[in-house]
Amino acid sequence: MSEHVVKMIEEEDVDSRIRELAKEIDEEYKGEEVFLVCVLRGAAFFACELAKRITIPVTLDFMQVSSYGSGTRSTGEVKIVKDIDLSMKDKNVIIVEDIVDTGNTLSTLKGFFTQRKAKSVKICSLLDKPERREVNVDIDYVGFTIPDKFVVGYGLDYDQKYRNLPYVGVVEFD
């Protein structure tokens, strides 16, 4: 079985929406500082582009989480593989994710940062797949709401391929 990718969201549309999200963050946190926490690996492309366009003071750190263990289906238990290096106490934390589907990971992370005494905790995701939601989680900044399709590009992968595509595409199998 082979696969190919069909464009879903053009590069120019992704770029434009990231600029709009940065502007929304700038306006909401005017006169303050934000702490972006990028969830690796998929959100790295999005988080870096977003951080470049935010004009207020911004700090960026990275964490890696897993909810899959050794299988291919989520266990529902979120494990922190790589924690952030900086303290988030009294900071305006924005969790930056590539895609929200079940909501399990982000719900857990939001609680985790709240326990660490962050001043505020919000979520920014390039993509939202509400049809897959298992846990109700508020996404404060959404790039695009998409249908329940397997997408790649702009950091999202299929078997570690296609992360480098400058657009978001749907994987179709032959």
Side-chain angles (χ1 to χ4, degrees):
M1 178 170 16
S2 65
E3 79 271 357
H4 64 279
V5 178
V6 177
K7 281 186 185 179
M8 175 189 261
I9 305 170
E10 296 284 344
E11 178 179 6
E12 297 78 17
D13 296 329
V14 172
D15 185 60
S16 175
R17 185 65 186 126
I18 292 172
R19 289 179 191 283
E20 291 169 3
L21 291 169
K23 188 175 179 182
E24 288 176 35
I25 291 168
D26 282 341
E27 289 172 7
E28 183 166 344
Y29 292 99
K30 194 174 210 163
E32 297 186 60
E33 185 176 323
V34 292
F35 186 119
L36 301 182
V37 176
C38 172
V39 181
L40 292 172
R41 295 186 177 115
F45 289 75
F46 174 49
C48 290
E49 292 300 316
L50 181 66
K52 287 188 326 188
R53 288 162 174 81
I54 293 173
T55 61
I56 60 172
V58 64
T59 302
L60 176 62
D61 204 348
F62 300 86
M63 75 183 309
Q64 185 174 6
V65 297
S66 173
S67 62
Y68 288 88
S70 60
T72 57
R73 299 207 48 78
S74 176
T75 63
E77 181 183 339
V78 178
K79 294 183 179 158
I80 296 175
V81 177
K82 184 233 178 277
D83 203 346
I84 59 173
D85 296 321
L86 305 169
S87 170
M88 66 197 74
K89 186 174 189 256
D90 300 323
K91 301 266 175 52
N92 294 308
V93 174
I94 300 175
I95 304 167
V96 181
E97 184 61 285
D98 54 357
I99 189 167
V100 180
D101 51 21
T102 65
N104 289 315
T105 299
L106 287 171
S107 177
T108 300
L109 287 180
K110 197 165 186 176
F112 174 77
F113 293 134
T114 300
Q115 286 177 344
R116 288 193 174 180
K117 310 228 184 303
K119 180 178 177 182
S120 66
V121 182
K122 298 217 173 175
I123 297 170
C124 180
S125 182
L126 179 61
L127 304 173
D128 180 23
K129 237 193 243 186
E131 291 174 50
R132 301 248 316 147
R133 200 78 79 242
E134 294 174 6
V135 175
N136 187 25
V137 61
D138 291 327
I139 307 168
D140 305 280
Y141 309 100
V142 177
F144 301 92
T145 300
I146 62 169
D148 188 13
K149 304 243 184 225
F150 194 89
V151 292
V152 295
Y154 223 88
L156 293 116
D157 74 295
Y158 169 68
D159 197 24
Q160 297 302 321
K161 296 184 287 186
Y162 307 117
R163 285 189 197 279
N164 62 318
L165 295 177
Y167 56 86
V168 175
V170 177
V171 177
E172 293 185 350
F173 298 93
D174 302 322

